[in-house]
Amino acid sequence: IKGGDRFCDQALSLVPRFDSKADLSRSYMISYMMVKPWTTPFKSCLKHLRESYKVGIECGDTESGCWGISSYVFMSILSGTSLDCVLADIENYYPQVQDFKR
């Protein structure tokens, strides 16, 4: 687990060199959905997953963005965020995600 976390940190440190929003969105989505939750509290992953959505939508990488926001909602529940707040997030993001299916 520690080796994966170190590799993840190295990959995240390379993203700014390429100045690619698509790379940022996908790197955040993979790192904070699959690797970081094993080594850091879920709550510390949330802002990065939301950022993955925001950046992914801005640059046209809707797949990474949608995976990022769905993971954000899931981890919000697991981290103890009030269900009223989670419901508000779902009501905000769900219509946008549905539009990308079309």
Side-chain angles (χ1 to χ4, degrees):
I1 291 177
K2 289 180 184 177
D5 189 54
R6 282 195 310 270
F7 183 75
C8 184
D9 289 340
Q10 289 175 350
L12 290 171
S13 73
L14 292 174
V15 172
R17 290 186 186 181
F18 298 101
D19 195 33
S20 167
K21 287 187 174 190
D23 289 340
L24 176 67
S25 177
R26 187 158 296 251
S27 296
Y28 272 11
M29 181 269 297
I30 291 170
S31 298
Y32 291 99
M33 178 174 79
M34 299 181 165
V35 179
K36 291 293 188 180
W38 291 96
T39 59
T40 59
F42 287 161
K43 284 193 179 207
S44 67
C45 297
L46 294 177
K47 68 180 178 179
H48 300 288
L49 290 169
R50 189 182 290 200
E51 182 70 9
S52 172
Y53 172 76
K54 178 180 170 267
V55 171
I57 300 312
E58 286 175 2
C59 75
D61 184 4
T62 56
E63 181 181 3
S64 294
C66 290
W67 275 111
I69 204 62
S70 65
S71 298
Y72 168 83
V73 168
F74 180 67
M75 282 193 197
S76 293
I77 294 168
L78 294 178
S79 68
T81 302
S82 83
L83 293 179
D84 289 333
C85 291
V86 174
L87 180 59
D89 283 334
I90 291 171
E91 289 172 343
N92 179 37
Y93 293 113
Y94 183 75
Q96 297 170 35
V97 171
Q98 285 297 102
D99 285 342
F100 297 125
K101 286 177 60 176
R102 296 183 187 137

